[in-house]
């Protein structure tokens, strides 16, 4: 999976060949073909591997209460990482996402990512409503749907046109303050 990651970063999705992945690993191209029928099968396994890592990454955001945990999760998803490798990898993932409308196998895996993130966000917002940190009239499903759309859009916009991802993070944090918290705008101390 590490070799697939490195090869995707170097070559992108469209130009990626099994030989490129073999070149990044200690395995031969024939060995890769023995375990995976081809590039498509290997990339499906890679998406499954990424899903497991993503699941662990968003499972338990840090924080003392629902608000801190929600803001921490937003920060995890919308904080720039090492721009060199991460940008190349995000570009390759965007290319894979673009295959979703045409490839049911990719689409199935991409839907799993989407549903997991939406459920995690919904759960955090519902916890905030239940504990009285968020307003009673907040609909956790609507908020989660909005956040997933904003996060996915921010990541795509960052990769395709270089828009600063941290701006969307700040906007979502402001949304939490203004629209979710009991007491409205300014109820939570501004993040540093």
């Amino acid at each position: 999976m590490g070799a697939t990651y490195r090869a995707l970063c170097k070559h992108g999705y469209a130009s990626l060949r099994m030989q490129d992945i073999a070149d990044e690993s200690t395995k031969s191209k024939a060995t890769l073909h023995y375990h995976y029928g081809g590039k498509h099968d290997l990339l499906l396994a890679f998406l499954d591997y990424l899903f497991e890592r993503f699941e662990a990454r968003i499972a338990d955001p840090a924080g003392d209460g629902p608000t801190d945990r929600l803001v921490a999760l937003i920060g995890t998803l919308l904080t720039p990482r090492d721009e060199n490798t991460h940008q190349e990898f995000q570009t390759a993932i965007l290319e894979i996402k673009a295959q979703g409308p045409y490839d049911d196998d990719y689409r199935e895996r991409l839907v799993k990512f989407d549903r997991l993130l939406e459920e995690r966000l919904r759960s955090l917002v519902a916890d905030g409503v239940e504990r009285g940190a968020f307003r009673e009239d907040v609909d956790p499903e609507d908020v989660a749907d909005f956040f997933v759309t904003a996060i996915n859009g921010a990541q795509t916009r960052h990769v395709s046109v270089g828009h600063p991802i941290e701006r969307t993070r700040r906007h979502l944090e402001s949304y939490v303050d203004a629209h979710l918290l009991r007491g409205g705008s300014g109820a939570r101390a501004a993040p540093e």
Side-chain angles (χ1 to χ4, degrees), residues 7-174:
L8 271 170
C9 288
K10 283 184 181 177
H11 303 282
Y13 170 81
S15 299
L16 184 67
R17 300 170 303 132
M18 290 294 276
Q19 185 61 55
D20 299 324
I21 298 167
D23 290 346
E24 293 293 330
S25 77
T26 58
K27 310 289 184 215
S28 70
K29 180 179 167 185
T31 301
L32 291 178
H33 275 290
Y34 176 78
H35 291 286
Y36 306 98
K39 171 182 157 178
H40 184 263
D41 291 342
L42 180 53
L43 288 176
L44 291 175
F46 184 65
L47 285 173
D48 292 338
Y49 166 79
L50 291 179
F51 181 81
E52 289 175 14
R53 293 182 55 146
F54 182 67
E55 190 172 34
R57 189 170 150 223
I58 70 168
D60 192 24
D64 291 330
T67 306
D68 291 341
R69 291 167 51 84
L70 179 60
V71 169
L73 180 57
I74 293 166
T76 295
L77 298 166
L78 295 177
T79 298
R81 299 197 215 175
D82 170 30
E83 277 304 309
N84 297 330
T85 306
H86 187 68
Q87 181 73 19
E88 293 165 348
F89 179 67
Q90 288 297 82
T91 301
I93 292 299
L94 184 58
E95 290 178 291
I96 291 172
K97 285 181 176 182
Q99 302 306 308
Y102 312 105
D103 186 307
D104 290 339
D105 294 328
Y106 285 141
R107 178 188 213 95
E108 174 186 316
R109 276 141 179 103
L110 296 170
V111 165
K112 280 179 59 177
F113 280 92
D114 200 67
R115 285 187 180 151
L116 175 66
L117 179 55
E118 189 167 354
E119 175 52 33
R120 190 71 201 113
L121 288 162
R122 189 207 57 73
S123 175
L124 289 170
V125 174
D127 185 47
V129 171
E130 187 176 303
R131 290 181 178 209
F134 299 156
R135 295 183 356 234
E136 291 176 6
D137 63 339
V138 167
D139 183 328
E141 288 184 30
D142 285 347
V143 172
D145 181 65
F146 166 64
F147 277 22
V148 169
T149 301
I151 290 164
N152 284 335
Q155 292 168 340
T156 298
R157 193 172 180 204
H158 178 67
V159 169
S160 29
V161 298
H163 187 269
I165 202 165
E166 57 274 5
R167 288 184 70 190
T168 304
R169 185 191 76 235
R170 288 193 311 268
H171 290 306
L172 290 179
E173 290 170 353
S174 293

